[in-house]
């Protein structure tokens, strides 16, 4: 029980990490069911799926209502319960190590944050097996589908569980954010000034500051949604609304209120997920180029500007909602403005490679993969940040492709880079390098094969949340592309099994890791692998240098005095 309900940040970090892996597996399987339907709509029946999801499949054929539940749950699980949890895992494990602390600032609160996330995960997954459908209003939960229980089969108990699960998750995230921020600001060891912090610590700080401001409003929004659903209020329901032939006797509300409250969280969440991936890329590039990152100070300034602007650009998700054109123009300008500091960060990341001695180990490959996919995601975001072009592309598969390149791929490649990079420190073993490279190349190639053609589908007018594209004559010529994407999606999932095998085989039989296998200078590599309880054997480390002190390609640890 001491291990299960441990207050040790390293145990909690591993708990978060393993939970995120499980949720990633669940979310990926849901996406395969979606691709099964889109690739072969109505052509085959799958009796075995009828037994697993008796309410989702009728005679082995997927019901349209269940497809919408899959869309909702896949998006929710992957964005919040995989990627956010994975960063909570890395942050819990490495923030105290990298600032020279023995634990998080509030160990009990840290433990409580994880054990609040667990029931949230169980509630989310459990809703898939309800006699009625799981939530089917999309991962954005737009009213009236989410506000009126009789709107669809997924608008009943499944939607209630979605709201409760999200509320618990946000409570968990808020407790974790408070812990991360306090630890970075107050628990730094002697000599660890702010400008000696590694860039990845800065990214965790900014990500959690943004999350702390953006996440709680959605809890308030969810409470209002529950009131609309069960107490007869009308926060999101306008007068004269007819749902399934029933006149809703409500007045005074508007669904746009939910959209504003949701996207005030939803867009900053992009940076909550991308910031740590950027930080890991900087760490990995420094380690495998044997030189400091380019533009440390201007990168920090850019992070500050991005964090501020991320909180005032949410309206670009609502250009077709009928908002005032002048307000739309403001959101367009703010959205395009945020590309300037973000471009500076990406250029600094790219410039960090210049003049370095590049070592193409698996963490380096995934960091380069992050740079590639983030570039595609960022460039295609320009089209959606401009009101004129967004009106044409909104709610098409262009959007699906864009946010998978921006959110999924960028954060996912960051998670993989961090896993291969820090696995020796976390578990004291080395992962297999050959399997790691096979995993990278197969993942990168198949990822482009799955998501890049979706841009073309978007240009062709294919809508999101579409159960059967062949029902539309103008989409029938695009069906071979859907088939190609579905085949590649199954292969992409198969390539992740290589990672899982490598991960768990290395845990059991991997080569013993040295304390500093990558010869890095930051503090986490100056203790044993894995670190002992309390992190430091004898006394707290004292820091004399900044995080990236490389002399002629050789690292000098932060704990070495300047005169040495």
């Amino acid at each position: 029980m001491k291990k299960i309900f441990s207050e040790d940040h390293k145990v909690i970090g591993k708990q978060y990490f393993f939970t995120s892996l499980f949720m990633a597996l669940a979310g990926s399987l849901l996406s395969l069911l979606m691709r099964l339907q889109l690739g072969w709509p109505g052509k085959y029946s799958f009796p075995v799926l009828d037994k697993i999801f008796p309410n989702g499949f009728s005679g082995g054929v997927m019901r349209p209502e269940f497809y919408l539940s899959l869309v909702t749950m896949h998006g929710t699980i992957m964005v919040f319960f995989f990627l956010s949890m994975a960063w909570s895992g890395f942050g819990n494990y490495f923030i105290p190590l990298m600032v020279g602390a023995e634990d998080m600032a509030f160990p009990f609160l840290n433990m409580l944050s994880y054990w609040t996330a667990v029931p949230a995960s169980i509630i989310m997954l459990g809703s898939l097996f309800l006699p009625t459908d799981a939530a089917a209003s999309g991962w954005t939960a737009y009213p009236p589908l989410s506000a009126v229980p009789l709107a669809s089969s997924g608008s009943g108990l499944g939607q209630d569980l979605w709201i409760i699960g999200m509320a618990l998750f946000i409570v968990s995230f808020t407790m974790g954010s408070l812990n991360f921020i306090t630890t970075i600001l107050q628990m730094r060891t002697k000599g660890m000034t702010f400008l000696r912090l590694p860039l990845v610590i800065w990214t965790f700080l900014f990500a959690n500051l943004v999350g702390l401001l953006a996440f709680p409003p959605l809890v308030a929004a969810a409470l209002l949604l529950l009131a609309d659903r069960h107490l007869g209020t009308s926060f999101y329901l306008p007068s004269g609304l007819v749902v399934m032939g029933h006149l809703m006797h409500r007045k005074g509300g508007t669904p746009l209120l939910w959209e504003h409250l949701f996207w005030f969280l939803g867009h900053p969440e992009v940076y909550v997920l991308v910031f740590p991936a950027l930080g890991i890329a900087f760490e990995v590039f420094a380690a495998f180029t044997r030189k400091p990152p380019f533009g440390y100070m201007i990168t920090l300034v850019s992070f500050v500007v991005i964090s501020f602007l991320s909180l005032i650009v949410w309206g670009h998700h609502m250009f077709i909602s009928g908002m005032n054109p002048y307000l739309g123009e403001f959101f367009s300008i703010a959205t395009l403005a945020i590309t300037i500091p973000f471009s500076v960060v990406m250029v600094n990341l790219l410039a960090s490679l210049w003049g370095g001695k590049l070592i193409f180990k698996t963490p380096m490959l995934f960091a380069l993969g992050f740079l590639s996919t983030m570039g595609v995601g960022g460039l295609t975001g320009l089209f959606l940040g401009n009101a004129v072009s967004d009106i044409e592309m909104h709610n098409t598969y262009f959007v699906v492709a864009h946010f998978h390149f921006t959110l999924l791929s960028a954060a996912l490649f960051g998670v993989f880079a961090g896993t291969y990079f820090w696995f020796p420190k976390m578990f004291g073993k080395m992962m297999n390098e050959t399997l790691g490279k096979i995993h990278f190349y197969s993942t990168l190639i198949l990822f482009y094969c799955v998501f890049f053609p979706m841009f073309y589908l978007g240009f062709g007018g294919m809508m999101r949340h579409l159960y059967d594209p062949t029902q539309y004559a103008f989409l029938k010529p695009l069906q071979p592309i859907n088939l190609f994407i579905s085949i590649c999606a199954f292969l992409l999932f198969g390539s992740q099994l290589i990672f899982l095998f490598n991960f768990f085989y290395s845990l059991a039989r991997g080569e013993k890791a040295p304390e500093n296998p990558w010869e890095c200078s930051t503090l986490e590599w100056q203790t044993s692998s894995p670190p002992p309880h309390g992190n430091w054997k004898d006394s707290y480390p004292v820091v004399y240098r900044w995080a990236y002190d490389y002399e002629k390609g050789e690292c000098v640890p932060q704990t070495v005095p300047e005169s040495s």
Side-chain angles (χ1 to χ4, degrees):
M1 293 297 287
K2 287 184 178 180
K3 273 288 184 183
I4 295 174
F5 296 103
S6 173
E7 296 181 11
D8 188 320
H9 73 98
K10 297 182 293 298
V11 174
I12 296 170
K14 290 180 181 179
Q15 288 173 328
Y16 265 116
F17 185 77
F18 282 111
T19 304
S20 74
L21 284 184
F22 178 78
M23 297 303 285
L25 185 62
S28 300
L29 289 172
L30 297 183
S31 72
L32 293 186
L33 292 178
M34 293 159 54
R35 291 312 316 179
L36 194 67
Q37 168 62 27
L38 291 173
W40 301 272
K43 289 187 176 180
Y44 305 102
S45 64
F46 302 92
V48 65
L49 294 175
D50 200 352
K51 295 179 181 178
I52 301 173
F53 301 105
N55 192 54
F57 287 79
S58 178
V61 178
M62 186 184 297
R63 294 169 49 248
E65 297 85 354
F66 186 68
Y67 179 81
L68 292 178
S69 293
L70 292 177
V71 172
T72 302
M73 300 306 293
H74 166 70
T76 303
I77 288 171
M78 296 303 281
V79 171
F80 298 106
F81 290 84
F82 165 44
L83 294 174
S84 295
M85 273 196 180
W87 293 139
S88 293
F90 282 126
N92 265 292
Y93 200 100
F94 287 103
I95 286 175
L97 286 169
M98 297 184 84
V99 303
E102 64 176 347
D103 209 320
M104 299 294 281
F106 310 113
F108 178 78
L109 191 69
N110 199 24
M111 180 268 291
L112 190 61
S113 71
Y114 174 72
W115 287 107
T116 306
V118 169
S121 304
I122 294 171
I123 288 170
M124 276 293 175
L125 291 179
S127 67
L128 285 164
F129 301 96
L130 290 173
T132 56
D133 292 320
S137 54
W139 76 283
T140 55
Y142 283 171
L145 271 177
S146 61
V148 182
L150 56 81
S152 75
S153 58
S155 299
L157 179 58
Q159 188 66 54
D160 285 330
L161 293 180
W162 186 93
I163 295 169
I164 294 169
M166 281 301 301
L168 286 173
F169 172 81
I170 293 172
V171 170
S172 166
F173 184 90
T174 303
M175 289 190 285
S177 292
L178 289 169
N179 226 337
F180 286 6
I181 294 167
T182 306
T183 302
I184 294 170
L185 296 181
Q186 298 293 329
M187 302 290 286
R188 288 171 289 114
T189 191
K190 183 180 179 181
M192 181 60 83
T193 62
F194 282 113
L195 294 184
R196 287 176 175 173
L197 286 172
L199 281 169
V200 71
I201 296 298
W202 281 109
T203 59
F204 274 110
L205 177 63
F206 287 121
N208 284 278
L209 284 170
V210 170
L212 195 61
L213 294 172
F215 271 70
L218 192 65
V219 176
L223 292 175
L224 300 184
L225 186 59
L226 284 174
D228 272 11
R229 291 173 57 80
H230 300 293
L231 300 180
T233 58
S234 186
F235 294 104
Y236 307 119
L237 299 175
S239 59
L241 180 67
V242 177
V243 178
M244 299 296 286
H246 296 272
L247 176 64
M248 307 301 297
H249 297 286
R250 315 283 182 93
K251 60 181 180 179
T254 172
L256 293 182
L257 174 59
W258 172 268
E259 291 191 37
H260 280 291
L261 291 170
F262 179 87
W263 286 115
F264 184 74
L265 152 71
H267 195 79
E269 170 71 357
V270 173
Y271 299 96
V272 171
L273 299 182
V274 169
F275 269 166
L278 282 167
I280 287 174
F282 274 112
E283 297 302 310
V284 171
F285 280 4
F288 294 103
T289 60
R290 316 308 300 163
K291 62 186 285 288
F294 182 84
Y296 180 95
M297 282 302 299
I298 191 63
T299 299
L300 291 186
V301 173
S302 298
F303 285 154
V304 173
V305 176
I306 293 168
S307 299
F308 170 74
L309 290 177
S310 73
L311 296 168
I312 61 171
V313 300
W314 77 88
H316 68 235
H317 294 274
M318 302 169 59
F319 284 143
I320 67 166
S321 67
M323 70 166 55
N324 186 297
Y326 293 107
L327 184 60
E329 187 67 18
F330 163 78
F331 282 120
S332 285
I333 293 171
T335 301
L336 296 177
I338 204 172
T339 63
I340 298 172
F342 200 87
S343 296
V344 170
V345 173
M346 294 298 288
V347 168
N348 286 350
L349 194 57
L350 188 61
S352 298
L353 301 173
W354 185 260
K357 181 183 177 182
L358 273 63
I359 304 168
F360 292 104
K361 295 288 188 179
T362 304
M364 181 66 164
L365 293 175
F366 273 103
L368 292 170
F370 162 80
L371 191 61
S372 168
T373 54
M374 191 68 239
V376 174
L379 288 173
T380 55
L382 294 174
F383 297 95
L384 301 176
N386 185 293
V388 175
S389 53
D390 178 75
I391 288 171
E392 294 296 323
M393 297 177 189
H394 189 86
N395 218 33
T396 70
Y397 259 69
F398 188 95
V399 179
V400 177
H402 161 70
F403 71 63
H404 276 88
F405 268 100
T406 306
L407 266 186
L408 176 65
S409 69
L412 180 65
F413 276 74
V415 167
F416 282 138
T419 301
Y420 283 100
F421 184 59
W422 281 321
F423 187 90
K425 183 55 58 180
M426 293 177 73
F427 303 105
K429 301 287 184 69
M430 299 295 294
M431 293 186 74
N432 185 279
E433 188 66 21
T434 301
L435 289 177
K437 289 180 177 178
I438 294 172
H439 173 224
F440 166 73
Y441 287 113
S442 61
T443 298
L444 183 69
I445 293 169
L446 289 168
F447 188 91
Y448 270 91
C449 288
V450 170
F451 295 107
F452 206 82
M454 290 184 184
F455 289 118
Y456 187 78
L457 291 178
F459 286 131
M462 182 171 166
M463 300 79 77
R464 298 168 64 185
H465 306 160
L466 194 56
Y467 168 73
D468 185 356
T470 61
Q471 296 298 311
Y472 295 85
F474 75 97
L475 293 180
K476 283 185 178 180
L478 299 177
Q479 188 54 25
I481 299 178
N482 268 317
L483 178 60
F484 173 77
I485 291 172
S486 292
I487 293 171
C488 291
F490 279 90
L491 294 174
L492 178 61
F493 179 81
S495 70
Q496 306 320 301
L497 299 180
I498 299 171
F499 166 75
L500 290 176
F501 173 80
N502 191 2
F503 186 94
F504 289 104
Y505 181 84
S506 299
L507 268 182
R509 300 189 178 184
E511 175 189 347
K512 190 178 186 313
E515 290 185 358
N516 192 355
W518 314 124
E519 298 181 4
C520 298
S521 57
T522 46
L523 281 187
E524 81 271 28
W525 300 106
Q526 312 313 315
T527 185
S528 60
S529 299
H533 183 71
N535 297 337
W536 315 103
K537 295 177 182 177
D538 301 317
S539 59
Y540 293 118
V542 178
V543 172
Y544 298 95
R545 301 166 180 265
W546 81 313
Y548 309 104
D549 206 343
Y550 289 89
E551 296 179 2
K552 298 180 180 179
E554 299 296 327
C555 83
V556 182
Q558 288 186 281
T559 53
V560 175
E562 291 282 358
S563 58
S564 297

